[in-house]
Amino acid sequence: MKNEILNNAKKAKQDEFYTQYSDIQKEMNSFIEYDKDVFKNKTILLPCDDPEWSNFTKFFAQNFEKYGLKKLISTSFAVESKKYKANYQPSLFESEDPLFDKDKTRIKGKIFTITKDENQDGRINIDDLKWEYLDGDGDFRSEEVRKLRDEADIIITNPPFSLFREFVAWILDANKKFAIIGNMNAVKYKEIFPLIKNNQVWIDSPFVRGAGYFTTPYEIDTNTSYFKSHDYRENFIRVPGVRWFMNMEIGRRHQPLTLMNMEDNIKFSKHKEVRNIGYKKYETYNAIEVPFTDSIPIDYNGIMGVPISFLDKYCPEQFEIIGVFNHGCDSEFDLAKPVIDGKELYSRIAIRRNQ
């Protein structure tokens, strides 16, 4: 049940999950705390975004001057390409604008830009947003959106869940800085794990207990927490296992974990699986099982299998990532399935303490 929503969304290609303003702000603050000039004189692209419903454009528009941005670009996908198109109604933002075209609104994507104080009120914010229809439907793989990608310095968004691998490749093909939201299970993808192992991409989890609350236009039949109102923009759905994937630096990434040695873990661990028991070895690989991140023995020099959630707290100066147990995909970093007492465990990340 944990990832049922994202898995179902991926299968159905229901990719409209809108991120809360506060969640965007929390992560962007992490970048600013590490480098106050991280966005200064930068062009930011927000693909897969629609400021009529989404918060990414709103956030960066409101912080345009504060961050010292050079240019803000966001693009949206044509409604005819979306699953909820039968219920679609243009917003007043679009329908009351002289540019509105009742035919184009369904088949064309839109581009929104801010570069200056358009209304000359002495400040740059959401009121200075300009828009027009794109030539195509706004798909990030299109030539016109690819050109916007090449123009940008940083790409930030909540991309389509069903196209996460392709979206990451699309960004890295242009060698851009980025911060995007994805499913934690993406770390096991053969296209993603090598990037994490080689410290080309890393993960952050400011979401409370690793779950995000998103708005969505879809009717989702699930037993997970779902709060519905008459206006779909106010619907909130709880999605476990979401993380920020990025190649932009934050301070948390370089904070070593505070851990006990093996002897103290065995004596004092709060986990019954470790306390007075110790660490079992895999039957299929020369490594010990560490069932909880806070139970990693700081004095052990061999290979350890740790939960995937360890990556939220991974400090590259403290540990080295070796591979992944039970990856499920063919890659050079796949290791054996983790088996203890004849029982196969869930996927584990193989790590080793830096000497």
Side-chain angles (χ1 to χ4, degrees), residues 48-50 52 74-78 109-112 134 137-138:
C48 321
D49 197 60
D50 191 332
E52 296 160 272
S74 64
T75 60
S76 67
F77 205 25
K110 294 189 285 290
I111 179 172
F112 307 81
L134 290 165
D137 63 4

Side-chain angles (χ1 to χ4, degrees), residues 88-199:
Y88 173 76
Q89 292 292 330
S91 68
L92 293 178
F93 174 86
E94 180 183 359
S95 62
E96 294 187 355
D97 192 286
L99 291 175
F100 175 67
D101 185 307
K102 66 179 182 179
D103 295 320
K104 286 184 177 181
T105 189
R106 300 192 67 88
I107 62 174
K108 302 293 185 183
K110 294 189 285 290
I111 179 172
F112 307 81
T113 58
I114 296 180
T115 56
K116 62 182 180 179
D117 180 10
E118 293 286 348
N119 60 10
Q120 299 184 345
D121 64 353
R123 56 184 181 178
I124 304 175
N125 57 24
I126 193 71
D127 295 330
D128 298 299
L129 195 68
K130 296 171 57 181
W131 76 277
E132 60 182 323
Y133 294 108
L134 290 165
D135 293 332
D137 63 4
D139 191 311
F140 70 89
R141 296 162 293 190
S142 68
E143 182 63 27
E144 61 182 330
V145 178
R146 189 179 299 115
K147 289 179 180 178
L148 297 174
R149 175 201 65 179
D150 295 343
E151 176 187 350
D153 299 296
I154 301 172
I155 297 172
I156 299 173
T157 195
N158 182 353
F161 291 132
S162 64
L163 298 172
F164 185 82
R165 299 180 227 212
E166 191 170 352
F167 190 80
V168 172
W170 179 80
I171 294 174
L172 294 179
D173 183 58
N175 194 30
K176 300 296 180 178
K177 291 293 185 182
F178 72 92
I180 63 175
I181 295 174
N183 182 352
M184 184 63 176
N185 275 335
V187 304
K188 297 187 295 179
Y189 296 164
K190 64 181 179 180
E191 300 88 349
I192 304 297
F193 184 79
L195 300 172
I196 293 173
K197 180 190 180 302
N198 295 325
N199 287 306

Side-chain angles (χ1 to χ4, degrees), residues 255-259 293-294 296 298 310 313-315 318-319:
Q255 294 175 354
L257 287 165
T258 300
L259 300 166
T293 296
D294 60 7
I296 295 173
I298 194 61
F310 160 82
K313 309 166 189 68
Y314 167 55
C315 170
Q318 187 178 27
F319 292 102

Side-chain angles (χ1 to χ4, degrees), residues 3 11 19 22 67 82 126 131 142 148 153 192 197 221 233 241 280 283 306 312 316:
N3 288 296
K11 292 176 183 177
T19 310
S22 59
Y67 289 169
K82 299 178 180 180
I126 193 71
W131 76 277
S142 68
L148 297 174
D153 299 296
I192 304 297
K197 180 190 180 302
D221 183 15
R233 287 167 291 169
K280 297 182 178 180
E283 298 167 12
V306 298
D312 296 347

Side-chain angles (χ1 to χ4, degrees), residues 23 63 71 107 114 159 182 266 317 335:
D23 288 330
N63 288 280
K71 185 177 183 180
I107 62 174
I114 296 180
I266 295 173
E317 291 82 13
L335 305 176

